[in-house]
Amino acid sequence: MGRAGHAGPGPAGERDAVATTIKDVAAAAGVGIATVSRVFSGTGSVSAATRERVLAVAGDLDYRPSAVGRSLKTRRTGGLGLAVPDVSDPFCAEVVAGVLECARSLGQHVLLDATLGDPAREAEIADRFAEQRVDGVIAMPSGVADPWTGFGRTGVPLVYVGRVPSCRSWAGKVPAVLADDAAGIRSAAEYLVGLGHRRIGFLGAPAPGTPPDVREDAFRAALAALGVPVDEDLVARARPTRDSAYAAAAGLMQRRADLTAVLASGHLPGEAAVLVARELDLRVPADLSIAMVDDIAWAELADPPLTAVNRPARDLGYRACELAARGTARRGPAGPVLLPTELIVRGSCGPAPSRRDRARH
Amino acid sequence: MGRAGHAGPGPAGERDAVATTIKDVAAAAGVGIATVSRVFSGTGSVSAATRERVLAVAGDLDYRPSAVGRSLKTRRTGGLGLAVPDVSDPFCAEVVAGVLECARSLGQHVLLDATLGDPAREAEIADRFAEQRVDGVIAMPSGVADPWTGFGRTGVPLVYVGRVPSCRSWAGKVPAVLADDAAGIRSAAEYLVGLGHRRIGFLGAPAPGTPPDVREDAFRAALAALGVPVDEDLVARARPTRDSAYAAAAGLMQRRADLTAVLASGHLPGEAAVLVARELDLRVPADLSIAMVDDIAWAELADPPLTAVNRPARDLGYRACELAARGTARRGPAGPVLLPTELIVRGSCGPAPSRRDRARH
DNA sequence: CCCTTTTCTGGAAACGTTTCCATGATGTTC
DNA sequence: GAACATCATGGAAACGTTTCCAGAAAAGGG
């Protein structure tokens, strides 16, 4: 009541403004709605004079074609669903940025949601995307289970980015854009071994399912290839939270005071390693070398700056979006796209201290 | 042609699967579409038996109501538009996370896009949101101009978050959720002055429009209130990019070797200050104290850990989303919501070095 | 057992587009 | 100048929902 009764002196009629539709424009311009549609969708032919008039009228009426009406008819919404575990994680954020960039260049828009690593939430989000009839889905799966495959079946292109579900059922049936994590870990491991390190701690992801995680595998393989025995006691695992990472790092580094280097499989364990080293009064890199995966902003700000394996997060997002939007996704299995990583050497790794050096300190 | 001719042995009919509609369900369940609609929308009354049957059939057919059809009829899409300058900026990312959290709890979804500080892009995004008929818009405006106000006029709730356009035309007509930047800056300034600092550098934002920026004003006001003369030469400005921030910081700190503290108005200038101090071989905090606005992850990782003013980014996003979704936004002017900041004291600020100390070094 | 109320149900009309089709008006070609 | 191709245009039928309305069935009251 309040609103309706009060509509008097508003400057430009605006109260509960119902958006102007194609009919209004047609009426005002004295043409049929089909003509207005043709003007705005660019299809068909319209005489220059008519086009002018329609555009003018549309401008006056502040007409904007409704994507809802259009989508209903054309069966394309122009939207892409994007689900990542956590938008405030720098890696995820960069992936999102890449997707946005590509989506924009393709004229698509993006529905974003965060899974927070919760399978239930993941399923809800997938449901919502389906209901919204997105044209494609890009997902960074967080866990083992996989609520996403439904899309493939309904003909909506689905692309994994940055990670694939760890359940075996996946088997490359869904296209994916990944960083070459194995190569990244290998390069870091080789670098550390090259500096003389033999007792290298590894801070990895938990392995809830059967397969122990790509990076952990890669770490073992790299050491083995270099003839360095793998000490299982030096492999620690943590969930992707600050607390869990810190606990794992602290546990490992206190238990094994003899290790000379730590390789963190992500920026969270990397951060934890730095903090624990500081807590334990270890000088980096004199007492302990630290390297991590993910070359994020603070790597350069830490003191000393951290040696890191860069994953091309932005490109991952961009490429994934291309696949999802183009629908190229559906052509054959094709296997995952692997993007190269790069070892960025900074000051956090040094030669392995000899036993005497360590004892003296 | 290829596709149509080849549809033979697919396992479960899936080829170019047209989504099942309410009609299919109605037909298969032997009821009218109105009944199916009632079952799914929860409105009206349906006998238990019928509901069962409909749900069963819908399950078999993997039916999902189309949000497009629904939106057309109900004139609500359930979507919120969110535009931020850069998703990979930690502050923005946190705001986005807050919005997502709130949106989820309200059953809305989020269309995200990045403006990159480009007014043209901002306008395009606003256009797209309008076309998509979002139910509300949340914008972190980047510049002076303001492509957003159009929404207010069309009855779509619009809320600014984190920042308001610097053009004067704004005048509080649009609701906003902001951090109390002035108070934040003041607390940091008071803290530094309390430590004995008198020559404090300020790294701020550029002032392209008339008003010089809230934080810069607050800085001046705080110093004045404490009886410290403001030296205009100590106020440097930069655009919100790494390069610009670095240049500004380097310029200021080289030009004025006598300054004893730097207050950075954001994490980018903060980062720049840390790097320049390192470059110039200044010990923090012995030679130079550094404090910044934005308590982001690396503040704790820097060495020494950085004293920072925390802005409740996540809450900003959450509150803004509430306003935008609830439409509470439209009730009166109400002025911006100000959320409190907090000074997090860490190790990067110390007592001002006496002149002798500095000379000796 | 009839009348009234309540509960269920289906038909049909929107909602704002696109697009097929038919029609009339122009141009073009010999 | 007749036959024909081309262009410009409007009417109408989708697209997948919700929701009003009216009718049918069930329930309740005397």
Side-chain angles (χ1 to χ4, degrees):
Chain A
M1 38 163 185
R3 208 145 60 199
H6 175 282
E14 45 175 88
R15 214 44 54 174
D16 236 352
V18 161
T20 73
T21 78
I22 201 172
K23 282 185 203 154
D24 303 327
V25 177
V31 300
I33 61 167
T35 301
V36 179
S37 172
R38 259 167 261 156
V39 168
F40 278 90
S41 61
T43 67
S45 63
V46 193
S47 75
T50 314
R51 163 174 291 113
E52 287 295 306
R53 191 150 36 96
V54 167
L55 285 177
V57 168
D60 286 351
L61 268 52
D62 196 32
Y63 168 69
R64 231 170 279 283
S66 158
V68 180
R70 190 206 336 261
S71 300
L72 185 57
K73 182 63 188 167
T74 63
R75 293 133 156 283
R76 305 202 71 237
T77 57
L80 296 174
L82 170 60
V84 297
D86 175 15
V87 270
S88 57
D89 176 277
F91 177 73
C92 292
E94 205 67 38
V95 170
V96 172
V99 171
L100 289 179
E101 193 181 326
C102 173
R104 156 148 306 254
S105 77
L106 264 44
Q108 305 271 125
H109 62 265
V110 173
L111 309 203
L112 175 72
D113 216 335
T115 67
L116 303 186
D118 176 3
R121 218 149 154 146
E122 223 166 349
E124 279 173 39
I125 296 173
D127 246 38
R128 180 114 203 176
F129 287 171
E131 189 175 293
Q132 290 294 324
R133 301 289 194 264
V134 293
D135 293 345
V137 172
I138 305 158
M140 184 170 336
S142 33
V144 178
D146 187 0
W148 303 105
T149 42
F151 284 104
R153 248 179 291 117
T154 62
V156 176
L158 165 65
V159 180
Y160 291 128
V161 67
R163 203 177 168 296
V164 291
S166 39
C167 63
R168 271 288 173 243
S169 80
W170 168 61
K173 275 178 298 195
V174 175
V177 180
L178 308 172
D180 192 347
D181 283 353
I185 289 284
R186 198 183 319 130
S187 64
E190 285 171 356
Y191 174 66
L192 288 172
V193 171
L195 286 169
H197 296 278
R198 288 298 174 271
R199 290 179 306 284
I200 305 175
F202 183 80
L203 295 172
T210 2
D213 180 38
V214 188
R215 304 189 201 170
E216 200 177 305
D217 282 347
F219 177 68
R220 287 209 182 74
L223 288 199
L226 293 164
V228 176
V230 184
D231 182 345
E232 285 304 325
D233 186 45
L234 291 181
V235 177
R237 300 189 185 93
R239 275 170 295 110
T241 68
R242 286 212 153 70
D243 291 348
S244 178
Y246 189 89
L252 172 65
M253 289 162 68
Q254 278 167 347
R255 183 172 72 232
R256 295 295 299 261
D258 62 324
L259 50 74
T260 66
V262 168
L263 176 51
S265 72
H267 61 95
L268 282 179
E271 183 179 321
V274 170
L275 292 176
V276 172
R278 184 183 299 167
E279 195 68 27
L280 263 41
D281 263 330
L282 296 173
R283 293 164 306 171
V284 177
D287 301 327
L288 183 76
S289 291
I290 301 181
M292 73 174 176
V293 172
D294 280 341
D295 182 32
I296 66 181
W298 65 259
E300 204 161 355
L301 261 73
D303 192 27
L306 237 65
T307 291
V309 173
N310 181 47
R311 295 193 286 170
R314 208 177 188 93
D315 292 346
L316 290 181
Y318 199 100
R319 296 288 301 270
C321 180
E322 276 183 341
L323 291 180
R326 291 254 157 82
T328 322
R330 295 163 71 189
R331 305 224 183 106
V337 177
L338 274 196
L339 266 42
T341 59
E342 189 188 2
L343 181 69
I344 311 285
V345 174
R346 298 204 180 85
S348 65
C349 299
S354 70
R355 292 187 183 245
R356 263 173 328 182
D357 290 342
R358 292 184 63 84
R360 206 185 303 151
H361 176 66
Chain B
M1 42 164 184
R3 206 143 63 197
H6 176 281
E14 45 175 87
R15 213 47 52 174
D16 237 352
V18 161
T20 73
T21 77
I22 202 172
K23 281 184 204 156
D24 303 328
V25 178
V31 299
I33 61 167
T35 302
V36 179
S37 172
R38 272 180 296 248
V39 168
F40 278 90
S41 62
T43 67
S45 63
V46 192
S47 74
T50 315
R51 162 174 291 111
E52 287 296 307
R53 191 150 34 96
V54 167
L55 285 177
V57 168
D60 286 352
L61 269 51
D62 196 32
Y63 167 69
R64 232 170 276 282
S66 158
V68 180
R70 185 199 346 249
S71 300
L72 185 58
K73 182 64 186 165
T74 63
R75 292 129 158 288
R76 306 202 70 238
T77 56
L80 296 175
L82 170 59
V84 297
D86 175 15
V87 269
S88 57
D89 175 278
F91 176 73
C92 292
E94 204 67 37
V95 170
V96 172
V99 171
L100 289 180
E101 193 182 326
C102 173
R104 158 147 304 255
S105 76
L106 264 43
Q108 306 270 125
H109 61 264
V110 173
L111 308 201
L112 175 71
D113 215 335
T115 67
L116 305 186
D118 176 2
R121 217 148 153 147
E122 223 166 350
E124 279 173 40
I125 296 173
D127 246 37
R128 180 114 203 178
F129 286 171
E131 188 175 295
Q132 291 293 325
R133 301 290 194 262
V134 293
D135 294 344
V137 172
I138 304 158
M140 184 170 335
S142 33
V144 177
D146 188 1
W148 303 104
T149 42
F151 284 104
R153 248 178 292 117
T154 62
V156 176
L158 165 64
V159 180
Y160 291 129
V161 67
R163 201 176 168 296
V164 291
S166 39
C167 62
R168 270 287 174 244
S169 79
W170 169 61
K173 275 176 299 194
V174 175
V177 180
L178 308 172
D180 192 348
D181 283 353
I185 288 284
R186 197 182 320 130
S187 65
E190 286 171 356
Y191 174 65
L192 288 173
V193 170
L195 285 169
H197 295 277
R198 288 297 175 270
R199 290 180 305 286
I200 305 173
F202 184 80
L203 295 172
T210 3
D213 182 38
V214 188
R215 305 190 200 169
E216 201 177 306
D217 282 347
F219 177 68
R220 286 209 183 76
L223 288 199
L226 294 163
V228 176
V230 183
D231 182 345
E232 285 303 326
D233 186 45
L234 290 181
V235 176
R237 302 190 182 93
R239 275 170 296 112
T241 68
R242 287 212 151 71
D243 291 348
S244 177
Y246 190 88
L252 172 66
M253 290 163 66
Q254 278 169 347
R255 184 171 72 232
R256 296 294 299 260
D258 63 325
L259 51 74
T260 65
V262 168
L263 176 51
S265 73
H267 61 94
L268 282 180
E271 183 178 322
V274 170
L275 291 176
V276 172
R278 185 182 298 167
E279 196 68 27
L280 261 41
D281 262 330
L282 296 172
R283 293 164 306 170
V284 177
D287 300 327
L288 183 76
S289 291
I290 301 181
M292 73 174 176
V293 173
D294 278 343
D295 181 32
I296 66 180
W298 64 258
E300 204 161 356
L301 262 74
D303 193 27
L306 237 65
T307 291
V309 172
N310 180 47
R311 295 192 286 169
R314 208 176 188 95
D315 292 346
L316 291 181
Y318 199 99
R319 296 288 302 270
C321 180
E322 276 182 341
L323 292 181
R326 291 254 158 82
T328 323
R330 295 164 70 189
R331 305 222 184 109
V337 177
L338 275 195
L339 266 43
T341 60
E342 189 188 2
L343 181 70
I344 311 285
V345 174
R346 298 204 179 86
S348 64
C349 299
S354 70
R355 292 188 182 244
R356 263 174 328 184
D357 289 344
R358 292 184 64 84
R360 206 185 303 151
H361 176 65

